[in-house]
Amino acid sequence: MLWTAILLSSLTFVLGQTEEFQEKLSIKSLRDGRVASSFSFSILLRDASPRDPRFLAFDDDDSHHYTLFPLTLGQILRQYAVTELHLTLNAGKWNYDAWGYPDESGVGVGAELRAWMAEGGPSSIDDRWRGLRNALAGLFCASLGSLDEQRTTSPALSFPPDGYLPDWGLPHELRHASYASEHVCTENLTPFLKLLPCKSLSGLATLLNPHRLFDADWHGIGLHVLWHPEGVEVRLNVQLVSDPIRISSSRKQDWSFKTLFDRKVQKPCPVAKSSLVVVNLPSSGIYRVDPEPSFIKDGKAYYDLTNSPGSWNIKTVWPGDFEYPFSDSTPLVPFSVRRKLLSSAQDTGKLSIVVTNNQEEQLDLLYLETMPWIIQFYLHTARVYSDENLISNISYTLPVPHARPGTFESVLTLPGRSTLTFAMDVQKAFLRYTEHPPDAQRGWDLPPAVFTPLAHNGSTKQMRQFYTPSLLVDLATPDFSMPYNVIMFTCSVVAFIFGSVFNVLTRKFVIVRLEANGQK
Amino acid sequence: MPPVASRFRDPSTIFFQNDSVRRCIIASYWIIIVLAIPLWWKTTSIERLGLPTSQVYAEAEKKLRIPLSICLDEIFIDEVAKVMTGFQDTAEYLDVKVTAGWECNQSNSSSDYTVAWEDKLEIQDRTLYHPLSGSLTNTLKSLLAPQIDPRAAQYAPRYRLSFTLLNEDGSAGQVVNGWDIQEAIQRHVSPITSALSMLHNFTIESQVQFHAPLAFEPQSLSEGAYGLTPEDLTVFVNSAEWTLSSSSSNDPVLHFVLFVPSAERRPLRILNEDGTPSTSSAFLIPQWGGIVILNLPSPSSSQDESPSPSERVRLTADDLRQSFGAFSRQMTTLLGVPKLPPAISVSSSSPSSSSSFSTPFTHWQIDTLLRLRTHENIRRSQDTLRSTVKVVDEIEGMPVGEEVQNQVRGSLGALKHVLEILSDDGNTQLTATPNTPTSQYLSSLLAYSARALTLSSKAFFNPGMLAMLYFPAEHKYAVYTPLFASAMIPLVVAAMREVKAWMKERKEKRAALGGGGGEVRDGPPEQRED
């Protein structure tokens, strides 16, 4: 019996060492002539499990030994006992109507961080959340420190865990924060690439040329850590939407690695288990894909670059110029959303959302609004401009000024081919002098709202989030040279009043008798 | 005139035109101002709690004297004085007591070390066997009071040991994609870490990188080899490209890098000053870590023209034996473990080595290291405390919070504790049995000295001490003057005028008393206000 136990433990020990790295690039030509590329690098730490927060009490963590898994990330995950983590840094507005759903659903503008952590152990979730934010801010050189308590929410339904939560008998909680003003740039990409086993020196990551990546119309990087019974998986992804028509001199939508990234894949990553390029073939028209793909399946051309050296420059060529499809403008997603903040006043406004169901079936949408306290909802003014009662399951967490954001979550029901308008009055906060950002006149970026289509059984599992563009709100902004003027002015007035009162109180009055000739 | 008088009341009959009322008004203003000054001072001043300055200076002056008793065999009785003076010259922090022969048992405390006579030079446990020939003083000095190796890292209660396997270019024909790191650590590193567990805690981490380019081009030698000149070694670590350390904790990191040169640049050798290849493939970067270059045999497949996928290699624990042997030697140096003099052999029949695996160090080395580290910590914390007090004294705008005060006090307390233990050592060591007490005694000294050091550096680097430097006094005055200057002028003028009037009045009263003159009241007004 004992021997079996020892044998089993040694067996898991050996298996526990296996780490896998897979990379994949999928390229799709979009309807408007742009090209969407999505890199996905996934590292699986087989048979590993997240850290139980109760073990944080023991100072001595088991040693970290990693081969492919990034050590710096592993340390952060273990130090703060994070079960699931999602970080995205994006720039630009994802045009769902013309581009369809992205490969990775996290396309909200700016920085978004969410983590699932278990409660228990010596340090609270909020302490660990703060530490995690700061550690990731240091790792990615991003201002994730701004995702503080004033932006942290815990929506109940919109972000279910992508993986599994371990059954420790501890409650797991979600922390979510987004910061729309964060701009992703080279300083975020460089540390991101260092997390990859082959960095950007071999394999598909060679293509990640910052000059081209940050020149794209839409670009974003993401980090996802999740646990499933196979092990802990880290997925690093980069998505971009480039415009070959803008780059090229002619009016052609041809693309190649060379034109999109200004690089070719020269060397395979020696430790990648699989290295795959998938090209979504256009559904119609005459085109040529070069070189010959390894195989074609379901309208997709697959290239297996695993351990196949040589210079790869995959391309698609069309014979003629690109013609913009004016006629075909039906949205590619089941529903479209427009979100606006209406008002000309500096203290009040109206938040308006117009959702259109593009399909025949009824659609249930989970609508989430996480709003910093600078915008406060008047919930009693919420109106749905429709005949039926189409809004249900409202949950609202009140914002606390200077401390906590508000969270509004509800379910919208849209009959087939219908449009729903939802509007609500809002109040704009009057900020303290020191709470204004350095570029106060620019306004405040409000985080995007998130819509999650519900399956018919009401579950959100495997449902993709839909992010609206962010909003810009103009708050009452003082003239920042004013305080000193005010000090000066107030001081002068106070000194003047004080002087007069004091003089009146202490002055000695006498009657001056004038000479008689003075009265003549 | 009568019509005038009827139209206006005589102003001197209004109650507040009374001299005493007016003076009361002025006085009350001044009283309020005077009373408000302490409040204003309290609300605008920086919190500067007192630090025990004189105690710090007194404590910083104190010299550490760690007692150490050696018992010599009767045969060495002539050496006693020589050994004593020898230690006094080299190691001031040691309070060496040397006895010989029957005196050993007479003194009421058992000796830490014994020296016995034998023909060979050998140590067993805490006993040294020394032949009559050779200098006993020098042997003891090199054993008990060696110089601190300047390459050793500064003391920290916890170190991170970071092992990194670097493939210079994994895509160039051959890649090491795994190593039996846990077994290698078990074999080569764990004995050291467990032997030093009395001094430090260790966190061990390891990673593998597949692309780790050098920042320079190694020199090409004849017969296809490449060389690293001593200048190249100083810039060998390419911090921009290699992600070696992480920032997840503040513990100091000792890096151990196993560098596998690219298949195209093999073998890579370290060159001596004169340009000839050195036999060693390892080098040490003081206080940072160690680097070992591992030249793998060339890929087994013949060098054909067509590029082929990289050959994958896994290093077994046996492959790593040589490299990890070098790492363990580098680690010993970096952790400051003193070396035994080369002539001394260690007896294998030592009773302490009866445990599961033999410790790589002797009691002499561990004890000496404990003393050296205690000495280093005490000196560093004394310096830090002195600097803290000095900085606070010199910069007047620097706030000193309760935290800093407590840290300084705590550090001072720990320092005092160490010195107290040392001052009444004779009594505490009394009942102890041989072997254990010396280490326990020394490790408790080290624990207190480490506490003193940690607290003193926490106080010195306390972030709260920087806060007020960014709000200089000039800003304060710029805000205050517009109000205070303009409000104070009428107050001062009124007060001066009233004092003047009062003095004049008194003088005239005295004159009137003396000369029996006329009435002051009906005289012309003394002052006129416009």
Side-chain angles (χ1 to χ4, degrees):
Chain A
M1 192 65 200
L2 184 72
W3 281 110
T4 334
I6 291 171
L7 198 73
L8 272 176
S9 67
S10 65
L11 204 69
T12 49
F13 178 74
V14 171
L15 283 176
Q17 291 303 296
T18 48
E19 293 171 39
E20 269 176 34
F21 174 58
Q22 301 189 356
E23 50 182 11
K24 186 180 158 191
L25 164 63
S26 72
I27 301 182
K28 187 160 80 174
S29 289
L30 301 171
R31 200 166 64 185
D32 58 1
R34 293 189 173 87
V35 175
S37 323
S38 166
F39 293 82
S40 166
F41 306 93
S42 124
I43 305 162
L44 178 68
L45 194 59
R46 212 173 266 284
D47 291 337
S49 57
R51 194 174 186 194
D52 189 329
R54 283 170 297 191
F55 294 131
L56 287 173
F58 306 109
D59 192 31
D60 252 349
D61 187 15
D62 44 350
S63 316
H64 305 279
H65 297 292
Y66 300 119
T67 307
L68 297 166
F69 198 88
L71 173 71
T72 40
L73 185 65
Q75 281 175 332
I76 292 174
L77 294 177
R78 293 202 71 81
Q79 188 173 353
Y80 302 108
V82 180
T83 305
E84 184 169 322
L85 171 77
H86 299 273
L87 168 71
T88 54
L89 295 166
N90 300 319
K93 175 188 145 193
W94 187 273
N95 188 347
Y96 285 91
D97 286 353
W99 301 345
Y101 270 120
D103 284 1
E104 290 286 344
S105 62
V107 292
V109 67
E112 188 194 19
L113 176 67
R114 61 177 202 267
W116 280 93
M117 289 182 279
E119 180 69 273
S123 55
S124 72
I125 285 190
D126 288 312
D127 285 344
R128 276 149 52 205
W129 168 246
R130 186 181 313 114
L132 174 71
R133 256 163 24 208
N134 293 333
L136 288 173
L139 185 61
F140 285 105
C141 302
S143 8
L144 302 179
S146 317
L147 301 174
D148 53 4
E149 283 68 30
Q150 297 189 29
R151 295 190 173 265
T152 302
T153 58
S154 303
L157 300 170
S158 293
F159 298 109
D162 281 3
Y164 293 81
L165 299 178
D167 183 20
W168 290 321
L170 299 175
H172 270 78
E173 281 185 34
L174 170 72
R175 290 289 179 277
H176 169 267
S178 60
Y179 186 59
S181 314
E182 172 68 13
H183 290 281
V184 53
C185 200
T186 316
E187 76 265 18
N188 310 122
L189 183 70
T190 310
F192 178 88
L193 291 176
K194 283 189 179 176
L195 298 179
L196 299 173
C198 289
K199 299 181 182 165
S200 63
L201 293 164
S202 64
L204 293 179
T206 326
L207 298 175
L208 292 172
N209 176 357
H211 291 283
R212 284 302 167 85
L213 175 59
F214 295 115
D215 179 45
D217 292 4
W218 188 94
H219 50 262
I221 62 179
L223 163 72
H224 307 274
V225 182
L226 49 100
W227 178 73
H228 42 79
E230 254 184 288
V232 172
E233 186 187 338
V234 170
R235 202 171 67 245
L236 295 138
N237 64 272
V238 177
Q239 295 186 96
L240 64 153
V241 177
S242 10
D243 192 351
I245 301 169
R246 172 163 66 86
I247 299 167
S248 77
S249 49
S250 61
R251 300 281 307 158
K252 295 181 79 176
Q253 58 166 332
D254 301 355
W255 61 262
S256 67
F257 282 176
K258 191 77 187 149
T259 59
L260 290 182
F261 308 108
D262 201 18
R263 284 186 190 169
K264 295 176 194 172
V265 181
Q266 303 279 11
K267 293 184 280 188
C269 174
V271 288
K273 191 184 166 215
S274 77
S275 187
L276 213 60
V277 178
V278 183
V279 178
N280 288 39
L281 299 172
S283 53
S284 60
I286 308 162
Y287 56 87
R288 186 166 60 84
V289 192
D290 182 64
E292 195 61 34
S294 310
F295 59 95
I296 296 179
K297 197 176 145 194
D298 299 338
K300 288 175 184 174
Y302 289 83
Y303 295 88
D304 192 359
L305 271 63
T306 319
N307 283 319
S308 49
S311 176
W312 286 87
N313 183 22
I314 296 167
K315 60 177 124 185
T316 308
V317 183
W318 280 264
D321 282 0
F322 175 69
E323 278 174 35
Y324 195 85
F326 293 103
S327 54
D328 187 19
S329 59
T330 47
L332 292 171
V333 280
F335 63 99
S336 318
V337 179
R338 274 177 297 146
R339 175 169 170 252
K340 287 196 174 60
L341 191 64
L342 315 162
S343 82
S344 55
Q346 285 197 317
D347 56 341
T348 54
K350 188 187 255 278
L351 181 72
S352 148
I353 288 132
V354 180
V355 192
T356 308
N357 188 352
N358 301 323
Q359 52 184 13
E360 300 296 338
E361 300 95 65
Q362 177 180 307
L363 184 69
D364 287 329
L365 284 177
L366 192 59
Y367 165 46
L368 170 73
E369 196 76 67
T370 55
M371 201 53 90
W373 60 265
I374 52 171
I375 294 293
Q376 290 161 21
F377 300 139
Y378 287 128
L379 215 57
H380 68 280
T381 63
R383 292 281 178 280
V384 178
Y385 296 97
S386 176
D387 303 334
E388 299 162 60
N389 186 19
L390 300 176
I391 184 161
S392 55
N393 294 6
I394 296 176
S395 77
Y396 181 50
T397 313
L398 277 170
V400 176
H402 313 287
R404 193 180 73 187
T407 313
F408 177 84
E409 208 170 15
S410 71
V411 175
L412 303 177
T413 309
L414 280 89
R417 298 277 170 206
S418 69
T419 297
L420 179 146
T421 305
F422 172 84
M424 177 157 56
D425 284 354
V426 298
Q427 186 194 16
K428 301 179 188 173
F430 191 75
L431 297 189
R432 290 176 189 151
Y433 172 61
T434 49
E435 280 169 341
H436 287 278
D439 52 348
Q441 313 292 344
R442 191 187 156 269
W444 290 74
D445 287 297
L446 300 179
V450 181
F451 287 85
T452 317
L454 292 172
H456 290 299
N457 55 6
S459 84
T460 52
K461 193 92 182 167
Q462 303 306 326
M463 280 303 185
R464 292 189 284 190
Q465 282 87 16
F466 179 106
Y467 289 82
T468 66
S470 71
L471 295 172
L472 190 69
V473 62
D474 185 25
L475 299 182
T477 316
D479 169 9
F480 285 95
S481 64
M482 208 53 192
Y484 195 71
N485 300 349
V486 169
I487 290 171
M488 290 312 214
F489 186 73
T490 321
C491 288
S492 311
V493 171
V494 168
F496 175 75
I497 293 170
F498 171 82
S500 339
V501 171
F502 183 76
N503 258 336
V504 169
L505 281 175
T506 59
R507 180 170 298 196
K508 189 168 185 174
F509 291 95
V510 288
I511 294 172
V512 182
R513 291 167 206 281
L514 295 173
E515 294 301 319
N517 56 1
Q519 278 196 327
K520 274 181 187 172
Chain B
M1 309 257 161
V4 177
S6 65
R7 246 191 290 151
F8 299 106
R9 277 169 68 186
D10 181 4
S12 60
T13 61
I14 305 173
F15 85 99
F16 63 81
Q17 287 291 297
N18 195 334
D19 271 358
S20 60
V21 173
R22 193 174 60 244
R23 281 171 193 170
C24 277
I25 292 171
I26 295 171
S28 58
Y29 272 103
W30 278 104
I31 287 167
I32 286 169
I33 287 172
V34 170
L35 288 181
I37 282 175
L39 183 74
W40 170 79
W41 187 255
K42 179 115 183 49
T43 48
T44 60
S45 65
I46 306 157
E47 187 190 22
R48 273 171 73 87
L49 299 178
L51 292 180
T53 312
S54 56
Q55 281 185 58
V56 166
Y57 281 119
E59 215 58 40
E61 286 308 308
K62 282 189 189 158
K63 286 273 187 288
L64 179 76
R65 303 275 289 168
I66 303 174
L68 173 68
S69 56
I70 307 169
C71 171
L72 303 185
D73 194 273
E74 263 175 89
I75 212 159
F76 296 111
I77 203 148
D78 301 338
E79 300 266 351
V80 170
K82 231 197 276 177
V83 171
M84 293 267 266
T85 48
F87 273 107
Q88 270 163 20
D89 295 344
T90 47
E92 278 189 351
Y93 62 93
L94 291 179
D95 182 12
V96 184
K97 196 166 75 181
V98 186
T99 49
W102 54 273
E103 284 176 30
C104 296
N105 306 327
Q106 207 180 41
S107 64
N108 50 8
S109 67
S110 62
S111 296
D112 296 328
Y113 304 97
T114 37
V115 178
W117 172 74
E118 191 102 9
D119 260 343
K120 57 191 179 188
L121 193 58
E122 192 180 81
I123 49 178
Q124 185 189 37
D125 220 13
R126 287 200 169 79
T127 312
L128 170 72
Y129 297 101
H130 199 274
L132 280 175
S133 60
S135 162
L136 177 65
T137 314
N138 283 349
T139 312
L140 282 174
K141 253 161 61 177
S142 59
L143 272 173
L144 293 172
Q147 292 297 314
I148 298 175
D149 193 329
R151 295 173 298 175
Q154 285 192 327
Y155 179 82
R158 178 182 283 276
Y159 285 111
R160 297 180 88 91
L161 304 179
S162 160
F163 291 90
T164 313
L165 170 65
L166 294 180
N167 287 283
E168 188 188 354
D169 187 354
S171 56
Q174 196 176 30
V175 60
V176 179
N177 69 342
W179 53 342
D180 285 339
I181 178 71
Q182 283 173 334
E183 198 175 340
I185 286 175
Q186 195 64 38
R187 280 193 204 171
H188 301 278
V189 179
S190 299
I192 298 178
T193 52
S194 57
L196 296 179
S197 59
M198 213 187 279
L199 286 116
H200 313 281
N201 290 320
F202 294 95
T203 312
I204 301 178
E205 60 197 34
S206 80
Q207 58 173 332
V208 181
Q209 292 189 16
F210 303 96
H211 288 277
L214 292 173
F216 59 91
E217 201 65 32
Q219 205 175 319
S220 180
L221 305 176
S222 56
E223 78 254 357
Y226 291 83
L228 296 168
T229 61
E231 288 75 44
D232 288 343
L233 297 185
T234 59
V235 293
F236 189 80
V237 178
N238 185 0
S239 325
E241 298 277 347
W242 307 353
T243 33
L244 291 180
S245 62
S246 71
S247 49
S248 71
S249 80
N250 287 330
D251 304 323
V253 188
L254 298 181
H255 302 269
F256 297 96
V257 175
L258 184 62
F259 187 81
V260 180
S262 144
E264 295 157 358
R265 228 184 252 164
R266 243 178 236 170
L268 185 66
R269 306 224 176 275
I270 298 174
L271 300 181
N272 292 322
E273 288 288 350
D274 56 0
T276 55
S278 156
T279 51
S280 164
S281 63
F283 63 99
L284 185 138
I285 299 176
Q287 308 196 347
W288 184 85
I291 292 169
V292 174
I293 294 167
L294 180 68
N295 288 305
L296 292 178
S298 282
S300 48
S301 58
S302 57
Q303 294 282 329
D304 44 26
E305 290 302 304
S306 69
S308 61
S310 294
E311 185 196 343
R312 295 173 192 205
V313 180
R314 186 177 174 87
L315 297 176
T316 62
D318 288 326
D319 299 333
L320 293 170
R321 182 168 0 128
Q322 215 176 2
S323 314
F324 270 75
F327 281 154
S328 63
R329 282 191 298 279
Q330 287 170 338
M331 194 153 96
T332 313
T333 311
L334 289 166
L335 293 173
V337 181
K339 285 199 170 55
L340 285 178
I344 291 184
S345 63
V346 182
S347 166
S348 54
S349 64
S350 169
S352 71
S353 63
S354 57
S355 55
S356 58
F357 58 94
S358 64
T359 88
F361 308 120
T362 61
H363 280 301
W364 295 73
Q365 282 170 294
I366 300 284
D367 291 351
T368 306
L369 182 59
L370 283 166
R371 280 189 210 99
L372 281 172
R373 288 300 201 182
T374 308
H375 174 54
E376 178 199 332
N377 287 351
I378 296 284
R379 200 173 36 77
R380 272 172 65 197
S381 45
Q382 282 173 337
D383 284 351
T384 316
L385 281 179
R386 200 164 35 203
S387 319
T388 312
V389 169
K390 207 169 157 197
V391 149
V392 168
D393 276 349
E394 276 174 7
I395 302 174
E396 280 173 9
M398 184 179 267
V400 180
E402 204 180 336
E403 212 183 7
V404 177
Q405 196 184 30
N406 287 342
Q407 280 159 350
V408 168
R409 280 187 188 152
S411 172
L412 211 54
L415 266 185
K416 275 185 187 160
H417 201 97
V418 172
L419 295 169
E420 260 169 37
I421 295 179
L422 291 177
S423 62
D424 58 21
D425 69 286
N427 312 320
T428 49
Q429 258 188 308
L430 258 180
T431 54
T433 52
N435 282 333
T436 42
T438 315
S439 345
Q440 269 178 14
Y441 173 69
L442 287 174
S443 62
S444 74
L445 278 186
L446 182 79
Y448 280 110
S449 71
R451 193 180 143 73
L453 179 66
T454 317
L455 285 174
S456 67
S457 44
K458 264 189 190 160
F460 188 75
F461 291 109
N462 192 299
M465 287 168 79
L466 280 174
M468 273 296 159
L469 290 181
Y470 300 106
F471 188 59
E474 287 84 352
H475 281 191
K476 227 184 281 180
Y477 299 134
V479 175
Y480 291 150
T481 27
L483 176 65
F484 287 164
S486 41
M488 285 306 280
I489 290 168
L491 267 175
V492 172
V493 169
M496 274 167 54
R497 194 176 59 203
E498 215 51 47
V499 168
K500 227 159 109 185
W502 174 72
M503 278 166 61
K504 192 176 173 192
E505 198 178 309
R506 233 172 58 147
K507 213 163 96 186
E508 277 175 15
K509 222 176 232 172
R510 210 177 294 153
L513 278 176
E519 276 182 25
V520 181
R521 272 286 154 83
D522 289 348
E526 293 144 7
Q527 301 262 329
R528 265 182 203 189
E529 283 282 344
D530 308 343

